[in-house]
Amino acid sequence: MSIKVKLENGREAEYPQGTTCMDLYRNKVTENKNLLAVLVDGKECDLNRPLTDHSEVTFVDFDSPKGADIYRHSASHVMAHAVKRLYPTAKLGIGPAIENGFYYDIDFEEPISADDLPAIEKEMKKIIKERKPIQRREMSREEAEKLFKEKNETYKLELLADLPEDAVISCYEQDDFIDLCAGPHLSHTGLIKAFKLTGLAGAYWRGSEKNPMLQRIYGTAFPSKERLQEHLLMIEEAKKRDHRKLGRELDLFSLHEEGPGFPFLHNNGMIVWQELTDFWRVEHRRAGYEEIKTPLILNRTLWEQSGHWDHYQDNMYFTEIDELDYAVKPMNCPGAMLVYKSKMHSYRDLPRRIAEMGIVHRHELSGTLHGLMRVRSFTQDDAHIFMLPDQIEDEVAGIIELMDLFYSVFGFDYRIELSTRPEKAMGAVELWDQAERLLEKVLVDRGIEYKINEGDGAFYGPKIDFHLEDCLGRNWQCGTIQLDFQMPEKFDLTYIGEDGAKHRPVVIHRVVYGSMERLMALLIEHYSGAFPAWLAPVQVAVLPVTDRSHEYAVKISEELKNEGFRVEADLRSEKVGYKIREAQVKKVPYMLVVGDREVENNQVAVRHRHEGDLGAETLTDFIVKLKKEIAEKII
RNA sequence: GCCGACGUAGCUCAAUGGAAGAGCAGCUGAUUUGUAAUCAGCAGGUUGCGGGUUCGAGUCCCACCGUCGGCUCCA
């Protein structure tokens, strides 16, 4: 019997049933010489899997979306294989491909150390050199259970038990190594051309801290040594952009043992901060927000009322005043609720958008602290929007628009996630479902791409999160829009409706920057410390060539200061080259070199930190251009 | 919090269990310099903190603190 196969280029041909994709390849149906696997009707498959029915076949190489994953997944099997050869009693957890690499979680009888990784790499090289065929074996559940019981792979047995009733149970086998795995995989181990084990870390089995901790070995693999080198070099380069390193070098902030997780901002950091908040205030007033400020410390009864006492206590700091319990605020919402309640509201007053640059304190686990990205005290650019139920959609849409405005100015790419009901949620399931559907509708209606983050919502409501990447590609949540039907109940918030009766408003909690500290960290990494002129702590460095031009240098510095620019004149008796180097290292956007020629012509020689020498012009011309650059927030 | 690594001058890093060093930054002086580092000199430390082993500890052991990489958690 023959089957019809449709290929990626649209061609269709008939082949005998049982033909493998490898056969098609040998038949030269594709030009691609670096095949790893295929998609059969959109589903990933091994090259040597026989085709049983009419199918549509797409060939996959390393550079296709799924290709790198398949390649690295096979690399993780080779690593597990090597580990089992060296440590026969080690038990395997899971070993998937991840962005830019792979890992395998392994339970070693005696923990290994990073020093043991080279030996594992060496064994992997052997396995690769042996070009062991990788074979798929489908088997019954009983057969698989027997197999992994014999091998004492208890974690695999646990995975097996959790597979659905009707699941096809497959294993992949290379030499004497066999692993429970859905596949697909490369056809033999020799196809892995370049790899490196990059790290060793602890990881809870199945991600739960109640489970034992396994050792996770991270690695990466590429189809050539050059590409691997390139990747490793890129990571080295990215580390130079680390905000913790730049923060010190540019004198933006510091961290001290005396206050773990409580960052100290220096003058340079404060300038960036102020510019960010100034910009924020302008845009928020324009968008119809009011601004308030609420206390850092509030009475226990308030936190009991808000639900934080029950749901958030582990993260809170406490104190006592006049023998009464108080808590340092971990969130701004209860304060905002009290402000709303301080007067009566008519439906005509809503929506009321109440913003607050609020400092919150949260006790985060010590192991999670990370520069300015993850701290124990931070400033949220918070706002609470009190509205009628039928205003929700417009308000959410308005916030998304505002969010995009800010992120575009910074030049950030962002990713949106919809987070749904968590386990320790407050309130009725129906309300949650309703709120989740509403948020989803806003995203869908606007054609916005998003990912669902199951169970990751706040305890009082679902949320839309905006995620940004740091220099190493790690994701950080910044903006968030959280719908809340709970807080209005807890605080008995009301407004008088058209009908003269009291009604319950809906509340949205939202932040755009997220936390000022995290935003600063992301901006530092995003710009590699070279802030655009509007944010730069020093915008212009005036560099006299000799002492003869000091007077002129001081004069133009004063003029620039009077125009509102942030200026520094370097009057040391050093050569210009030295002064330029220092200004470059400090990433000052503009350097004005002034020597005898400029004094004589009443000009300044402009040098841009990236574009170099731009030639001489009058100070007035320079001022006009820089003012425009700053006003338009040009990146 | 958990697993692992690390902690020496402001920064980057040296120092077989046997005299704590270098470069940069800083300070002083000389130099008057034209688009990424002028020269010379000076100063800078209870080696994270506390115990222990040893004739002797930056180095070995224990506990704590902090940082880094992950896990968990999260803005």
Side-chain angles (χ1 to χ4, degrees):
Chain A
M1 188 189 144
S2 69
I3 52 168
K4 261 193 219 147
V5 176
K6 192 173 174 192
L7 297 165
E8 53 203 337
N9 51 18
R11 265 194 302 160
E12 249 187 29
E14 297 221 354
Y15 292 94
Q17 192 176 32
T19 297
T20 69
C21 293
M22 201 60 199
D23 297 331
L24 297 183
Y25 177 51
R26 291 209 184 89
N27 242 334
K28 296 196 187 342
V29 297
T30 174
E31 305 273 297
N32 201 322
K33 293 212 172 68
N34 303 306
L35 289 190
L36 301 180
V38 285
L39 299 182
V40 176
D41 298 327
K43 208 170 153 276
E44 299 157 50
C45 275
D46 305 314
L47 278 174
N48 53 19
R49 173 101 67 100
L51 296 172
T52 51
D53 209 342
H54 302 311
S55 332
E56 193 172 334
V57 171
T58 314
F59 291 96
V60 171
D61 65 12
F62 187 86
D63 293 305
S64 69
K66 302 230 163 119
D69 277 1
I70 295 169
Y71 192 84
R72 289 169 177 153
H73 187 187
S74 291
S76 98
H77 272 218
V78 169
M79 180 172 81
H81 189 176
V83 165
K84 290 294 277 189
R85 277 186 180 179
L86 298 170
Y87 308 89
T89 58
K91 293 184 193 177
L92 302 178
I94 54 164
I98 50 173
E99 201 175 349
N100 294 321
F102 61 85
Y103 67 77
Y104 216 115
D105 285 348
I106 300 167
D107 192 356
F108 289 90
E109 208 164 32
E110 288 292 323
I112 62 162
S113 81
D115 300 337
D116 299 317
L117 295 182
I120 296 172
E121 284 185 336
K122 206 172 148 196
E123 196 61 39
M124 288 173 71
K125 281 189 184 133
K126 263 197 219 161
I127 294 165
I128 288 167
K129 209 167 170 193
E130 289 163 15
R131 298 168 69 88
K132 297 289 184 198
I134 304 176
Q135 261 146 356
R136 181 186 173 89
R137 262 175 62 188
E138 291 183 8
M139 55 183 77
S140 69
R141 187 175 292 260
E142 293 68 33
E143 206 180 335
E145 268 169 13
K146 185 161 169 279
L147 178 73
F148 289 110
K149 224 172 248 169
E150 273 167 16
K151 292 186 169 290
N152 196 29
E153 292 284 5
T154 48
Y155 298 102
K156 293 292 174 189
L157 285 170
E158 206 180 313
L159 292 175
L160 194 58
D162 282 356
L163 285 177
E165 282 287 316
D166 56 344
V168 177
I169 292 167
S170 64
C171 290
Y172 277 77
E173 190 171 34
Q174 57 202 42
D175 197 25
D176 58 342
F177 173 80
I178 186 159
D179 195 0
L180 178 72
C181 181
H185 278 281
L186 307 182
S187 48
H188 68 86
T189 59
L191 291 171
I192 294 163
K193 301 297 182 196
F195 73 92
K196 184 172 168 55
L197 299 186
T198 50
L200 182 65
Y204 298 111
W205 166 239
R206 309 193 111 184
S208 167
E209 56 192 330
K210 293 181 190 91
N211 288 336
M213 184 164 265
L214 312 183
Q215 285 192 288
R216 175 172 297 179
I217 306 176
Y218 284 94
T220 190
F222 284 86
S224 72
K225 291 214 164 58
E226 292 70 34
R227 286 181 67 173
L228 175 65
Q229 272 314 313
E230 204 180 299
H231 173 76
L232 296 174
L233 200 74
M234 217 181 65
I235 290 173
E236 282 312 304
E237 283 302 309
K239 282 183 184 157
K240 293 183 188 160
R241 299 210 313 263
D242 193 308
H243 76 280
R244 293 165 296 193
K245 183 174 150 66
L246 288 170
R248 189 172 50 236
E249 289 171 1
L250 301 176
D251 199 14
L252 296 163
F253 67 90
S254 57
L255 296 160
H256 302 270
E257 241 182 83
E258 290 81 352
F262 302 122
F264 292 60
L265 280 177
H266 300 189
N267 183 58
N268 285 345
M270 277 312 289
I271 290 172
V272 178
W273 181 293
Q274 296 286 9
E275 287 294 342
L276 291 170
T277 49
D278 286 352
F279 175 40
W280 183 89
R281 290 212 161 83
V282 168
E283 292 305 328
H284 278 73
R285 274 187 205 128
R286 202 200 299 278
Y289 284 76
E290 318 165 37
E291 186 174 355
I292 60 166
K293 182 170 163 65
T294 68
L296 289 182
I297 299 175
L298 291 161
N299 189 282
R300 167 178 177 161
T301 53
L302 179 75
W303 302 107
E304 283 172 345
Q305 189 179 5
S306 68
H308 287 85
W309 194 266
D310 288 337
H311 291 86
Y312 209 72
Q313 199 175 137
D314 291 349
N315 285 292
M316 292 166 69
Y317 297 111
F318 301 96
T319 186
E320 201 177 277
I321 302 173
D322 293 342
E323 289 166 35
L324 291 174
D325 293 332
Y326 281 76
V328 182
K329 68 173 172 182
M331 294 187 195
N332 302 303
C333 20
M337 299 302 135
L338 295 186
V339 171
Y340 179 87
K341 271 176 81 83
S342 65
K343 68 173 190 185
M344 290 273 284
H345 290 86
S346 148
Y347 70 96
R348 297 173 204 268
D349 300 332
L350 305 184
R352 240 190 114 182
R353 307 184 187 94
I354 305 181
E356 171 174 20
M357 276 284 174
I359 301 173
V360 295
H361 287 73
R362 298 181 185 176
H363 179 76
E364 304 292 353
L365 296 178
S366 59
T368 65
L369 301 180
H370 184 102
L372 292 186
M373 295 280 191
R374 188 76 191 278
V375 293
R376 283 176 171 162
S377 166
F378 55 100
T379 303
Q380 289 187 307
D381 66 317
D382 220 339
H384 294 89
I385 303 178
F386 300 82
M387 69 206 130
L388 316 176
D390 65 6
Q391 291 172 329
I392 297 174
E393 201 178 327
D394 280 352
E395 286 305 311
V396 172
I399 298 164
I400 291 175
E401 236 169 77
L402 193 64
M403 209 82 85
D404 187 64
L405 181 144
F406 280 99
Y407 293 173
S408 307
V409 165
F410 299 130
F412 279 142
D413 278 333
Y414 59 91
R415 215 159 42 82
I416 293 184
E417 291 184 8
L418 176 64
S419 295
T420 58
R421 184 162 47 91
E423 266 175 48
K424 50 176 185 178
M426 200 165 83
V429 176
E430 301 79 59
L431 263 180
W432 272 86
D433 289 346
Q434 187 194 334
E436 285 169 15
R437 276 199 304 275
L438 225 153
L439 288 181
E440 194 152 22
K441 180 172 184 297
V442 177
L443 293 172
V444 171
D445 285 356
R446 278 157 191 79
I448 293 169
E449 258 183 64
Y450 65 97
K451 185 187 128 191
I452 291 192
N453 216 341
E454 215 69 64
D456 215 28
F459 69 80
Y460 45 76
K463 52 182 189 166
I464 297 175
D465 295 330
F466 293 69
H467 293 254
L468 301 176
E469 272 186 9
D470 73 7
C471 63
L472 287 174
R474 291 176 288 214
N475 264 288
W476 298 93
Q477 185 187 311
C478 285
T480 176
I481 305 173
Q482 313 183 343
L483 212 43
D484 186 349
F485 296 107
Q486 314 299 331
M487 225 47 85
E489 289 291 332
K490 296 263 171 198
F491 283 88
D492 190 27
L493 303 186
T494 56
Y495 64 88
I496 308 298
E498 240 174 319
D499 55 4
K502 278 187 179 179
H503 297 272
R504 190 74 77 210
V506 178
V507 168
I508 286 176
H509 312 243
R510 51 108 277 184
V511 288
V512 176
Y513 288 163
S515 108
M516 290 296 295
E517 288 78 1
R518 182 174 288 180
L519 176 75
M520 293 256 301
L522 287 162
L523 286 171
I524 292 167
E525 301 197 352
H526 183 62
Y527 298 128
S528 302
F531 291 105
W534 74 280
L535 287 171
V538 177
Q539 296 164 319
V540 185
V542 181
L543 313 177
V545 179
T546 71
D547 295 3
R548 290 192 299 283
S549 356
H550 276 192
E551 201 184 320
Y552 183 68
V554 170
K555 191 185 120 214
I556 61 172
S557 305
E558 287 307 314
E559 272 182 56
L560 286 164
K561 276 182 201 161
N562 287 336
E563 292 289 338
F565 299 112
R566 297 186 285 269
V567 192
E568 266 177 17
D570 188 344
L571 303 180
R572 293 173 305 175
S573 60
E574 296 287 351
K575 303 210 275 191
V576 244
Y578 182 89
K579 296 181 184 178
I580 286 172
R581 180 184 154 76
E582 200 159 288
Q584 286 284 154
V585 169
K586 280 172 26 195
K587 303 181 193 262
V588 177
Y590 288 98
M591 286 153 261
L592 299 183
V593 177
V594 292
D596 295 337
R597 287 202 296 274
E598 287 70 29
V599 174
E600 190 170 331
N601 302 327
N602 200 23
Q603 287 184 318
V604 292
V606 181
R607 182 191 165 94
H608 185 265
R609 67 181 164 205
H610 295 140
E611 276 141 60
D613 194 349
L614 300 178
E617 64 186 357
T618 65
L619 184 61
T620 319
D621 285 348
F622 174 74
I623 287 174
V624 169
K625 283 189 224 163
L626 184 54
K627 270 199 175 157
K628 184 169 186 288
E629 182 175 334
I630 290 169
E632 293 175 9
K633 301 190 168 54
I634 289 168
I635 300 171

